[in-house]
Structure formats: C-alpha cells, structure tokens
Amino acid sequence: MNLTNKIALVTGAASGIGMEIAKEFLAHGACVAIADRDLDHARLAATMLDPGGSRSLSVGMDVSNEDQVEAGVDQVARHFGAIDILVSNAGIQIVGPLEEFKFSDWKTLLAVHLDGAFLTTRACLKYMYPVGSGSIIYMGSVHSKEASVLKAPYVTAKHGLEGLAKVVAKEGAAHGVRANVICPGFVRTPLVDKQIPEQARELGISEDDVIKKVMLKDTVDGEFTTIEDVARCAVFLASFPSNALTGQSIVVSHGWFMQ
Ligand code: NAD
C-alpha cells in the first residue's frame, strides 16, 4: 500500500482518529494537510508527526463554515499543487434524550458532520475532477448502521454520510473519484472519554458499566477498536487502485455490527 506523492487532506486531524490517519498516511509516503478548527493543536500535531515540516501543512478550518472550507482547501491545493485524498473525519458528540434535546445542539452536530462532509467534498472535487482521480473517505461509525439511545443527531448524521458517499461514488465515477465510508466501533479518544461520564449520569449506571454493558457489550471480545485499526483501513481505501471499491462502507468494530 503506497501513497508516495499523494496529497491528502484530513479534517479533525489534531486529535484521535484523524491524527493517527495523518500519521499513517505520512508513513506510507503521502503529504498531509492536518486540518482542524483548533489550529494550535493542528500545528502541534504537524510538528510531532512531521518534524521536518516538508510533508505536512496545518490548516485552521471549521468544516461547518463554507468560507473557511473553501479558503482552507484552496490553501492546501496551492501549497502542495493537488488534492488526491480527502478524509472527512472532523466530528463531535452531544448526548441526551430526544425529548430534552436542544434544537441548537441538534443543528450544531449535524452541521459539523453533514455540512462539513458536503462542504469539504465540494471544495476538493474542484481539484480532483480536472485530473480525473481522487479518493474520498468519510468517517462514519457503527452508528451509520445501528442506533443507540441518547444519540439522535449523531446516528442521523452518520447514516446520512452513507447516502452522501453513494452519491459521490455515482457522480464521481466519470471523473475517477471514489468515495467510501469507514465505520468504527468505540475507540478511546477524547470524543469517547467525554461521553462515558455523561452516559453514566443519563443512564444512572457506573462508568465501568457504560464501557462494559453499553459500549462494548455486542463486540465479539469486549475490546475497543483502536485508532491504528481505523488508520489502517484509511490507508487501504486511500491506496486502492480502481473503481471496484466505491460507494462502500467498511465496519471496523470487533464484530459489534456484522453486515
Ligand atoms: P476527537 O475528539 O479525538 O477528534 C475530533 C477532532 O475534530 C478534534 O481535533 C476537533 O477539534 C475536530 N473538530 C471538531 N469539530 C470540528 C469542526 N467543526 N471543524 C474542524 N474540526 C473539528 O474524536 P475522534 O474520536 O477522533 O473522532 C473523529 C471522527 O471519528 C468523528 O467523525 C467521530 O464521529 C468518528 N468516530 C469516532 C468513534 C470513537 O469511538 N471515537 C467511533 C466511530 C466514529
């Protein structure tokens, strides 16, 4: 699996899964734009992953803001001369029961996951279509397939990404652009660490029970998925050589969900 001379843009790459994907892409020879709404952390990640600085670029970008996405994607294309791979990964989690869910929180979550995926896709297609190739990877979730209590907007958004990927696969085919979704199970990142005490409070159970009886109860082995597991899948999808693998989703979840 070789990504030499490929230019990748990874959103939400200052932390967790996105940062590990940036690391693996660099290890496989790519140049990587580390985009995040938290520019300071994006810079820190770039310094850590690419101390020489020649194969990375940190970009401040709120993926739900059209102007920032357009400017950020243009900046990446100007800097590296192309964009071959987009990983639309930036995401947040807000948990709560539907009957109390604030409309503002609903809109914020959908904006990051769905507006973000649409805006970054549209901006990158501008650079992929003229050269006749590109690979777009959306960070879905087992929640692209399954529902859980307390996660209405997240489950809605993650299901929506599957629809977007299929449309991009169909429209992009004529231009050599593929689109796929990675669907991880629970991964110990700040996004998950934040929701363990929140879910314990909402469900009236211990944090240990949230992990064992909620998050990992349907896995085959009671194990968390790791950032490395997800990043390996991203390399596989990014480097896949043909349109045979497009419009698909890969579930990486220790068997929590089996297709
Ligand atoms: P994380 O909190 O470690 O990282 C998310 C990153 O996204 C952060 O650096 C944050 O600053 C950035 N971000 C948030 N909103 C943004 C915005 N509007 N614009 C730009 N950047 C923004 O979380 P993570 O667990 O690494 O999650 C990454 C992706 O993986 C998300 O889409 C998440 O839904 C998905 N996912 C996570 C898990 C899990 O268990 N951790 C499971 C399945 C899917």
Side-chain angles (χ1 to χ4, degrees):
M1 290 189 286
N2 192 349
L3 294 174
T4 306
N5 296 329
K6 296 292 182 193
I7 312 300
L9 165 59
V10 184
T11 69
S15 173
I17 291 170
M19 185 154 79
E20 186 65 21
I21 291 174
K23 183 175 158 196
E24 274 295 300
F25 279 7
L26 284 162
H28 284 78
C31 294
V32 183
I34 295 174
D36 206 284
R37 71 173 168 194
D38 184 337
L39 180 57
D40 288 342
H41 277 104
R43 285 192 176 124
L44 273 177
T47 308
M48 204 165 68
L49 301 182
D50 178 36
S54 59
R55 290 202 291 128
S56 67
L57 175 72
S58 35
V59 182
M61 180 200 291
D62 176 343
V63 294
S64 63
N65 179 304
E66 183 176 14
D67 292 341
Q68 288 186 28
V69 170
E70 290 289 326
V73 169
D74 288 346
Q75 183 191 347
V76 176
R78 256 195 327 273
H79 184 83
F80 288 121
I83 300 180
D84 302 301
I85 301 158
L86 164 67
V87 184
S88 170
N89 165 78
I92 57 170
Q93 179 61 283
I94 307 173
V95 295
L98 258 174
E99 70 277 16
E100 289 168 13
F101 217 92
K102 285 199 201 113
F103 188 33
S104 56
D105 285 343
W106 168 270
K107 284 191 282 195
T108 300
L109 194 144
L110 291 189
V112 175
H113 289 268
L114 290 180
D115 297 358
F118 161 67
L119 290 171
T120 51
T121 297
R122 192 184 61 179
C124 287
L125 289 180
K126 203 168 65 186
Y127 295 100
M128 293 173 172
Y129 278 4
V131 296
S133 73
S135 174
I136 299 182
I137 298 168
Y138 298 100
M139 197 51 63
S141 163
V142 166
H143 287 113
S144 302
K145 314 280 187 187
E146 287 276 359
S148 288
V149 296
L150 307 177
K151 296 188 173 173
Y154 190 81
V155 170
T156 304
K158 292 302 191 190
H159 275 68
L161 289 176
E162 296 232 319
L164 177 61
K166 290 175 186 174
V167 175
V168 176
K170 289 204 169 188
E171 290 191 14
H175 309 274
V177 173
R178 300 179 293 110
N180 293 288
V181 186
I182 301 176
C183 299
F186 281 100
V187 183
R188 282 310 282 267
T189 67
L191 182 137
V192 160
D193 287 340
K194 175 176 166 286
Q195 57 179 288
I196 293 171
E198 290 172 354
Q199 289 213 45
R201 228 175 10 253
E202 289 285 352
L203 298 170
I205 58 178
S206 70
E207 294 188 17
D208 203 41
D209 279 351
V210 170
I211 292 172
K212 290 197 180 120
K213 297 186 179 160
V214 178
M215 293 182 162
L216 304 180
K217 99 172 152 40
D218 292 323
T219 61
V220 294
D221 52 9
E223 297 280 342
F224 277 102
T225 302
T226 65
I227 53 175
E228 291 83 4
D229 295 326
V230 183
R232 272 182 220 120
C233 278
V235 172
F236 168 67
L237 287 173
S239 61
F240 200 79
S242 80
N243 266 350
L245 195 47
T246 193
Q248 305 302 312
S249 52
I250 299 185
V251 182
V252 199
S253 70
H254 285 257
W256 166 12
F257 179 83
M258 300 190 191
Q259 332 206 43

